[in-house]
mmCIF file of all heavy atoms in Angstrom:
data_model
loop_
_atom_site.group_PDB
_atom_site.id
_atom_site.type_symbol
_atom_site.label_atom_id
_atom_site.label_comp_id
_atom_site.label_asym_id
_atom_site.label_seq_id
_atom_site.Cartn_x
_atom_site.Cartn_y
_atom_site.Cartn_z
ATOM 1 N N VAL A 1 0.862 -1.225 -0.006
ATOM 2 C CA VAL A 1 -0.004 -0.016 -0.031
ATOM 3 C C VAL A 1 0.874 1.218 -0.007
ATOM 4 O O VAL A 1 0.599 2.205 -0.714
ATOM 5 C CB VAL A 1 -0.924 -0.010 1.235
ATOM 6 C CG1 VAL A 1 -1.715 1.327 1.302
ATOM 7 C CG2 VAL A 1 -1.950 -1.133 1.106
ATOM 8 N N LEU A 2 1.934 1.260 0.802
ATOM 9 C CA LEU A 2 2.812 2.405 0.856
ATOM 10 C C LEU A 2 3.512 2.580 -0.528
ATOM 11 O O LEU A 2 3.645 3.719 -0.996
ATOM 12 C CB LEU A 2 3.850 2.233 1.952
ATOM 13 C CG LEU A 2 4.891 3.412 2.082
ATOM 14 C CD1 LEU A 2 4.181 4.713 2.434
ATOM 15 C CD2 LEU A 2 5.882 3.067 3.155
ATOM 16 N N SER A 3 3.970 1.496 -1.053
ATOM 17 C CA SER A 3 4.616 1.590 -2.364
ATOM 18 C C SER A 3 3.745 2.253 -3.425
ATOM 19 O O SER A 3 4.178 3.064 -4.261
ATOM 20 C CB SER A 3 5.107 0.207 -2.864
ATOM 21 O OG SER A 3 5.740 0.261 -4.125
ATOM 22 N N ALA A 4 2.461 1.821 -3.398
ATOM 23 C CA ALA A 4 1.527 2.370 -4.395
ATOM 24 C C ALA A 4 1.308 3.865 -4.172
ATOM 25 O O ALA A 4 1.190 4.648 -5.101
ATOM 26 C CB ALA A 4 0.204 1.636 -4.344
ATOM 27 N N GLU A 5 1.194 4.248 -2.875
ATOM 28 C CA GLU A 5 1.031 5.656 -2.527
ATOM 29 C C GLU A 5 2.211 6.491 -2.926
ATOM 30 O O GLU A 5 2.053 7.602 -3.457
ATOM 31 C CB GLU A 5 0.708 5.816 -1.036
ATOM 32 C CG GLU A 5 0.418 7.242 -0.674
ATOM 33 C CD GLU A 5 -0.434 7.401 0.580
ATOM 34 O OE1 GLU A 5 -1.085 6.434 0.969
ATOM 35 O OE2 GLU A 5 -0.414 8.517 1.141
ATOM 36 N N LEU A 6 3.435 6.016 -2.717
ATOM 37 C CA LEU A 6 4.611 6.749 -3.082
ATOM 38 C C LEU A 6 4.724 6.912 -4.601
ATOM 39 O O LEU A 6 5.237 7.951 -5.064
ATOM 40 C CB LEU A 6 5.865 6.061 -2.549
ATOM 41 C CG LEU A 6 5.997 5.977 -1.008
ATOM 42 C CD1 LEU A 6 7.287 5.275 -0.580
ATOM 43 C CD2 LEU A 6 5.908 7.387 -0.380
ATOM 44 N N ALA A 7 4.213 5.953 -5.336
ATOM 45 C CA ALA A 7 4.248 6.084 -6.789
ATOM 46 C C ALA A 7 3.304 7.218 -7.227
ATOM 47 O O ALA A 7 3.625 7.989 -8.121
ATOM 48 C CB ALA A 7 3.751 4.787 -7.431
ATOM 49 N N LEU A 8 2.215 7.379 -6.501
ATOM 50 C CA LEU A 8 1.282 8.498 -6.798
ATOM 51 C C LEU A 8 1.904 9.828 -6.396
ATOM 52 O O LEU A 8 1.648 10.818 -7.042
ATOM 53 C CB LEU A 8 -0.066 8.286 -6.055
ATOM 54 C CG LEU A 8 -0.922 7.141 -6.561
ATOM 55 C CD1 LEU A 8 -2.138 6.920 -5.627
ATOM 56 C CD2 LEU A 8 -1.384 7.371 -8.005
ATOM 57 N N VAL A 9 2.657 9.829 -5.289
ATOM 58 C CA VAL A 9 3.349 11.018 -4.879
ATOM 59 C C VAL A 9 4.259 11.518 -5.974
ATOM 60 O O VAL A 9 4.336 12.697 -6.296
ATOM 61 C CB VAL A 9 4.107 10.784 -3.584
ATOM 62 C CG1 VAL A 9 5.040 12.003 -3.234
ATOM 63 C CG2 VAL A 9 3.149 10.536 -2.393
ATOM 64 N N ARG A 10 5.080 10.583 -6.530
ATOM 65 C CA ARG A 10 5.983 10.936 -7.587
ATOM 66 C C ARG A 10 5.257 11.407 -8.859
ATOM 67 O O ARG A 10 5.666 12.264 -9.580
ATOM 68 C CB ARG A 10 6.915 9.760 -7.945
ATOM 69 C CG ARG A 10 7.947 9.484 -6.851
ATOM 70 C CD ARG A 10 8.916 8.398 -7.310
ATOM 71 N NE ARG A 10 8.309 7.099 -7.383
ATOM 72 C CZ ARG A 10 8.227 6.245 -6.361
ATOM 73 N NH1 ARG A 10 8.801 6.577 -5.195
ATOM 74 N NH2 ARG A 10 7.656 5.073 -6.494
ATOM 75 N N GLN A 11 4.144 10.776 -9.122
ATOM 76 C CA GLN A 11 3.340 11.119 -10.344
ATOM 77 C C GLN A 11 2.691 12.508 -10.250
ATOM 78 O O GLN A 11 2.718 13.267 -11.215
ATOM 79 C CB GLN A 11 2.278 10.036 -10.554
ATOM 80 C CG GLN A 11 1.437 10.310 -11.788
ATOM 81 C CD GLN A 11 0.368 9.227 -11.980
ATOM 82 O OE1 GLN A 11 0.364 8.211 -11.307
ATOM 83 N NE2 GLN A 11 -0.576 9.454 -12.890
ATOM 84 N N HIS A 12 2.165 12.790 -9.089
ATOM 85 C CA HIS A 12 1.342 14.052 -8.923
ATOM 86 C C HIS A 12 2.051 15.155 -8.125
ATOM 87 O O HIS A 12 1.527 16.254 -8.007
ATOM 88 C CB HIS A 12 0.021 13.726 -8.230
ATOM 89 C CG HIS A 12 -0.797 12.743 -9.054
ATOM 90 N ND1 HIS A 12 -1.347 13.050 -10.256
ATOM 91 C CD2 HIS A 12 -1.163 11.464 -8.786
ATOM 92 C CE1 HIS A 12 -2.061 12.000 -10.724
ATOM 93 N NE2 HIS A 12 -1.968 11.003 -9.842
ATOM 94 N N ASP A 13 3.262 14.877 -7.624
ATOM 95 C CA ASP A 13 3.991 15.899 -6.875
ATOM 96 C C ASP A 13 3.242 16.372 -5.675
ATOM 97 O O ASP A 13 3.260 17.595 -5.331
ATOM 98 C CB ASP A 13 4.344 17.055 -7.756
ATOM 99 C CG ASP A 13 5.828 17.026 -8.192
ATOM 100 O OD1 ASP A 13 6.460 15.989 -7.974
ATOM 101 O OD2 ASP A 13 6.335 17.971 -8.760
ATOM 102 N N ILE A 14 2.563 15.477 -4.938
ATOM 103 C CA ILE A 14 1.826 15.890 -3.760
ATOM 104 C C ILE A 14 1.634 14.668 -2.831
ATOM 105 O O ILE A 14 1.505 13.502 -3.357
ATOM 106 C CB ILE A 14 0.467 16.482 -4.129
ATOM 107 C CG1 ILE A 14 -0.172 17.149 -2.878
ATOM 108 C CG2 ILE A 14 -0.446 15.466 -4.735
ATOM 109 C CD1 ILE A 14 -1.342 18.052 -3.257
ATOM 110 N N ALA A 15 1.714 14.832 -1.549
ATOM 111 C CA ALA A 15 1.496 13.801 -0.591
ATOM 112 C C ALA A 15 0.492 14.274 0.451
ATOM 113 O O ALA A 15 0.416 15.491 0.764
ATOM 114 C CB ALA A 15 2.817 13.411 0.121
ATOM 115 N N THR A 16 -0.262 13.318 1.007
ATOM 116 C CA THR A 16 -1.287 13.679 2.001
ATOM 117 C C THR A 16 -1.113 12.775 3.214
ATOM 118 O O THR A 16 -0.510 11.721 3.199
ATOM 119 C CB THR A 16 -2.701 13.534 1.403
ATOM 120 O OG1 THR A 16 -2.900 12.161 1.066
ATOM 121 C CG2 THR A 16 -2.930 14.426 0.206
ATOM 122 N N GLU A 17 -1.737 13.258 4.291
ATOM 123 C CA GLU A 17 -1.676 12.545 5.599
ATOM 124 C C GLU A 17 -3.015 12.783 6.268
ATOM 125 O O GLU A 17 -3.458 13.921 6.455
ATOM 126 C CB GLU A 17 -0.528 13.152 6.412
ATOM 127 C CG GLU A 17 -0.547 12.750 7.859
ATOM 128 C CD GLU A 17 0.428 13.575 8.653
ATOM 129 O OE1 GLU A 17 1.280 14.307 8.110
ATOM 130 O OE2 GLU A 17 0.305 13.528 9.919
ATOM 131 N N VAL A 18 -3.706 11.685 6.583
ATOM 132 C CA VAL A 18 -4.980 11.767 7.292
ATOM 133 C C VAL A 18 -4.900 11.007 8.566
ATOM 134 O O VAL A 18 -5.007 9.801 8.633
ATOM 135 C CB VAL A 18 -6.109 11.227 6.373
ATOM 136 C CG1 VAL A 18 -7.481 11.323 7.110
ATOM 137 C CG2 VAL A 18 -6.186 11.926 5.041
ATOM 138 N N GLU A 19 -4.637 11.776 9.647
ATOM 139 C CA GLU A 19 -4.557 11.219 11.030
ATOM 140 C C GLU A 19 -3.573 10.020 11.089
ATOM 141 O O GLU A 19 -3.798 9.111 11.903
ATOM 142 C CB GLU A 19 -5.979 10.766 11.436
ATOM 143 C CG GLU A 19 -6.920 11.949 11.528
ATOM 144 C CD GLU A 19 -8.280 11.608 12.220
ATOM 145 O OE1 GLU A 19 -8.661 10.387 12.079
ATOM 146 O OE2 GLU A 19 -8.844 12.510 12.808
ATOM 147 N N GLU A 20 -2.492 10.080 10.336
ATOM 148 C CA GLU A 20 -1.562 8.948 10.315
ATOM 149 C C GLU A 20 -0.420 9.116 11.317
ATOM 150 O O GLU A 20 0.176 8.160 11.760
ATOM 151 C CB GLU A 20 -1.036 8.757 8.892
ATOM 152 C CG GLU A 20 -2.049 8.325 7.906
ATOM 153 C CD GLU A 20 -1.639 8.474 6.461
ATOM 154 O OE1 GLU A 20 -0.590 7.825 6.137
ATOM 155 O OE2 GLU A 20 -2.246 9.196 5.653
ATOM 156 N N SER A 21 -0.103 10.361 11.688
ATOM 157 C CA SER A 21 0.873 10.605 12.720
ATOM 158 C C SER A 21 0.317 11.106 13.999
ATOM 159 O O SER A 21 0.951 11.091 15.057
ATOM 160 C CB SER A 21 1.986 11.571 12.219
ATOM 161 O OG SER A 21 1.460 12.863 11.989
ATOM 162 N N ARG A 22 -0.934 11.672 13.906
ATOM 163 C CA ARG A 22 -1.630 12.139 15.106
ATOM 164 C C ARG A 22 -3.119 12.199 14.820
ATOM 165 O O ARG A 22 -3.518 12.698 13.773
ATOM 166 C CB ARG A 22 -1.125 13.534 15.460
ATOM 167 C CG ARG A 22 -1.761 14.091 16.729
ATOM 168 C CD ARG A 22 -1.270 15.473 17.116
ATOM 169 N NE ARG A 22 0.194 15.530 17.335
ATOM 170 C CZ ARG A 22 0.877 16.606 17.504
ATOM 171 N NH1 ARG A 22 0.300 17.806 17.517
ATOM 172 N NH2 ARG A 22 2.193 16.506 17.754
ATOM 173 N N ILE A 23 -3.902 11.662 15.681
ATOM 174 C CA ILE A 23 -5.342 11.649 15.503
ATOM 175 C C ILE A 23 -5.863 13.091 15.579
ATOM 176 O O ILE A 23 -5.427 13.850 16.450
ATOM 177 C CB ILE A 23 -6.065 10.758 16.543
ATOM 178 C CG1 ILE A 23 -5.637 9.296 16.395
ATOM 179 C CG2 ILE A 23 -7.547 10.927 16.455
ATOM 180 C CD1 ILE A 23 -5.999 8.712 15.061
ATOM 181 N N GLY A 24 -6.764 13.434 14.655
ATOM 182 C CA GLY A 24 -7.296 14.776 14.652
ATOM 183 C C GLY A 24 -6.552 15.739 13.770
ATOM 184 O O GLY A 24 -6.901 16.917 13.715
ATOM 185 N N ARG A 25 -5.501 15.272 13.039
ATOM 186 C CA ARG A 25 -4.698 16.171 12.254
ATOM 187 C C ARG A 25 -4.505 15.589 10.842
ATOM 188 O O ARG A 25 -4.331 14.402 10.693
ATOM 189 C CB ARG A 25 -3.341 16.393 12.861
ATOM 190 C CG ARG A 25 -2.542 17.513 12.208
ATOM 191 C CD ARG A 25 -1.266 17.759 12.965
ATOM 192 N NE ARG A 25 -0.307 16.695 12.807
ATOM 193 C CZ ARG A 25 0.860 16.560 13.441
ATOM 194 N NH1 ARG A 25 1.208 17.446 14.338
ATOM 195 N NH2 ARG A 25 1.668 15.514 13.250
ATOM 196 N N CYS A 26 -4.534 16.519 9.849
ATOM 197 C CA CYS A 26 -4.263 16.164 8.478
ATOM 198 C C CYS A 26 -3.253 17.071 7.906
ATOM 199 O O CYS A 26 -2.971 18.138 8.448
ATOM 200 C CB CYS A 26 -5.568 16.269 7.642
ATOM 201 S SG CYS A 26 -6.863 15.095 8.097
ATOM 202 N N ALA A 27 -2.640 16.658 6.790
ATOM 203 C CA ALA A 27 -1.619 17.496 6.195
ATOM 204 C C ALA A 27 -1.561 17.222 4.662
ATOM 205 O O ALA A 27 -1.905 16.146 4.208
ATOM 206 C CB ALA A 27 -0.221 17.251 6.801
ATOM 207 N N VAL A 28 -1.094 18.268 3.991
ATOM 208 C CA VAL A 28 -0.769 18.167 2.549
ATOM 209 C C VAL A 28 0.623 18.687 2.345
ATOM 210 O O VAL A 28 0.936 19.690 2.936
ATOM 211 C CB VAL A 28 -1.773 18.948 1.678
ATOM 212 C CG1 VAL A 28 -1.421 18.908 0.222
ATOM 213 C CG2 VAL A 28 -3.210 18.518 1.914
ATOM 214 N N ALA A 29 1.451 17.982 1.550
ATOM 215 C CA ALA A 29 2.827 18.438 1.335
ATOM 216 C C ALA A 29 3.154 18.345 -0.136
ATOM 217 O O ALA A 29 2.647 17.450 -0.851
ATOM 218 C CB ALA A 29 3.808 17.614 2.141
ATOM 219 N N VAL A 30 4.002 19.253 -0.634
ATOM 220 C CA VAL A 30 4.513 19.217 -2.001
ATOM 221 C C VAL A 30 5.995 19.341 -1.959
ATOM 222 O O VAL A 30 6.567 19.917 -1.043
ATOM 223 C CB VAL A 30 3.876 20.373 -2.866
ATOM 224 C CG1 VAL A 30 2.405 20.259 -2.912
ATOM 225 C CG2 VAL A 30 4.313 21.741 -2.353
ATOM 226 N N PRO A 31 6.693 18.772 -2.942
ATOM 227 C CA PRO A 31 8.134 18.871 -2.978
ATOM 228 C C PRO A 31 8.604 20.249 -3.265
ATOM 229 O O PRO A 31 7.990 20.985 -4.026
ATOM 230 C CB PRO A 31 8.520 17.861 -4.031
ATOM 231 C CG PRO A 31 7.353 17.711 -4.920
ATOM 232 C CD PRO A 31 6.166 17.969 -4.051
ATOM 233 N N VAL A 32 9.778 20.585 -2.696
ATOM 234 C CA VAL A 32 10.482 21.829 -3.024
ATOM 235 C C VAL A 32 11.772 21.384 -3.748
ATOM 236 O O VAL A 32 12.546 20.533 -3.238
ATOM 237 C CB VAL A 32 10.815 22.691 -1.777
ATOM 238 C CG1 VAL A 32 11.697 23.856 -2.157
ATOM 239 C CG2 VAL A 32 9.509 23.085 -1.108
ATOM 240 N N ARG A 33 12.076 22.017 -4.882
ATOM 241 C CA ARG A 33 13.228 21.649 -5.666
ATOM 242 C C ARG A 33 14.251 22.757 -5.655
ATOM 243 O O ARG A 33 13.909 23.937 -5.570
ATOM 244 C CB ARG A 33 12.815 21.275 -7.052
ATOM 245 C CG ARG A 33 12.055 19.963 -7.173
ATOM 246 C CD ARG A 33 11.572 19.711 -8.569
ATOM 247 N NE ARG A 33 11.057 18.342 -8.742
ATOM 248 C CZ ARG A 33 9.862 17.915 -8.430
ATOM 249 N NH1 ARG A 33 8.985 18.834 -7.923
ATOM 250 N NH2 ARG A 33 9.469 16.677 -8.542
ATOM 251 N N ASP A 34 15.525 22.407 -5.806
ATOM 252 C CA ASP A 34 16.609 23.415 -5.854
ATOM 253 C C ASP A 34 16.770 23.853 -7.327
ATOM 254 O O ASP A 34 15.984 23.484 -8.194
ATOM 255 C CB ASP A 34 17.910 22.931 -5.231
ATOM 256 C CG ASP A 34 18.459 21.712 -6.006
ATOM 257 O OD1 ASP A 34 18.079 21.436 -7.141
ATOM 258 O OD2 ASP A 34 19.386 21.059 -5.414
ATOM 259 N N ALA A 35 17.796 24.628 -7.591
ATOM 260 C CA ALA A 35 17.990 25.162 -8.945
ATOM 261 C C ALA A 35 18.291 24.082 -9.943
ATOM 262 O O ALA A 35 18.154 24.298 -11.155
ATOM 263 C CB ALA A 35 19.153 26.206 -8.863
ATOM 264 N N HIS A 36 18.698 22.920 -9.484
ATOM 265 C CA HIS A 36 19.025 21.834 -10.399
ATOM 266 C C HIS A 36 17.830 20.853 -10.468
ATOM 267 O O HIS A 36 17.954 19.766 -11.036
ATOM 268 C CB HIS A 36 20.241 21.083 -9.891
ATOM 269 C CG HIS A 36 21.456 21.974 -9.789
ATOM 270 N ND1 HIS A 36 22.118 22.430 -10.857
ATOM 271 C CD2 HIS A 36 22.065 22.457 -8.644
ATOM 272 C CE1 HIS A 36 23.150 23.169 -10.457
ATOM 273 N NE2 HIS A 36 23.080 23.217 -9.140
ATOM 274 N N HIS A 37 16.707 21.259 -9.961
ATOM 275 C CA HIS A 37 15.456 20.465 -10.015
ATOM 276 C C HIS A 37 15.503 19.232 -9.179
ATOM 277 O O HIS A 37 14.745 18.273 -9.429
ATOM 278 C CB HIS A 37 15.066 20.117 -11.473
ATOM 279 C CG HIS A 37 13.595 19.993 -11.699
ATOM 280 N ND1 HIS A 37 12.683 21.020 -11.520
ATOM 281 C CD2 HIS A 37 12.832 18.866 -12.108
ATOM 282 C CE1 HIS A 37 11.466 20.569 -11.737
ATOM 283 N NE2 HIS A 37 11.549 19.298 -12.096
ATOM 284 N N VAL A 38 16.379 19.197 -8.204
ATOM 285 C CA VAL A 38 16.465 18.089 -7.259
ATOM 286 C C VAL A 38 15.540 18.425 -6.070
ATOM 287 O O VAL A 38 15.574 19.493 -5.515
ATOM 288 C CB VAL A 38 17.924 17.919 -6.771
ATOM 289 C CG1 VAL A 38 17.960 16.824 -5.691
ATOM 290 C CG2 VAL A 38 18.828 17.555 -7.938
ATOM 291 N N VAL A 39 14.780 17.432 -5.668
ATOM 292 C CA VAL A 39 13.880 17.611 -4.527
ATOM 293 C C VAL A 39 14.757 17.698 -3.248
ATOM 294 O O VAL A 39 15.434 16.746 -2.922
ATOM 295 C CB VAL A 39 12.868 16.454 -4.377
ATOM 296 C CG1 VAL A 39 12.080 16.600 -3.103
ATOM 297 C CG2 VAL A 39 11.931 16.414 -5.570
ATOM 298 N N CYS A 40 14.682 18.882 -2.614
ATOM 299 C CA CYS A 40 15.566 19.117 -1.430
ATOM 300 C C CYS A 40 14.735 19.349 -0.193
ATOM 301 O O CYS A 40 15.309 19.600 0.870
ATOM 302 C CB CYS A 40 16.498 20.295 -1.705
ATOM 303 S SG CYS A 40 15.674 21.813 -2.079
ATOM 304 N N GLY A 41 13.402 19.309 -0.290
ATOM 305 C CA GLY A 41 12.602 19.539 0.885
ATOM 306 C C GLY A 41 11.136 19.439 0.552
ATOM 307 O O GLY A 41 10.740 18.963 -0.533
ATOM 308 N N ALA A 42 10.322 19.854 1.502
ATOM 309 C CA ALA A 42 8.838 19.815 1.272
ATOM 310 C C ALA A 42 8.202 20.994 2.016
ATOM 311 O O ALA A 42 8.652 21.426 3.050
ATOM 312 C CB ALA A 42 8.290 18.478 1.855
#
């Protein structure tokens, strides 16, 4: 399941979290790239 989700993250450049690290909290994250287009953060 995680492998399939990470494939979608790479495809759509976005990741989500629904109460997976803390109940009652959600998150959306997108990659941040440097000048060489390398993902260096989120």
Side-chain angles (χ1 to χ4, degrees):
V1 173
L2 179 62
S3 179
E5 182 156 341
L6 296 181
L8 291 174
V9 171
R10 288 187 291 270
Q11 179 181 352
H12 299 292
D13 257 10
I14 191 167
T16 61
E17 167 193 348
V18 180
E19 299 189 329
E20 294 167 59
S21 65
R22 183 180 299 175
I23 296 299
R25 190 176 70 186
C26 294
V28 177
V30 301
V32 175
R33 291 175 167 83
D34 63 16
H36 303 288
H37 208 61
V38 174
V39 174
C40 59

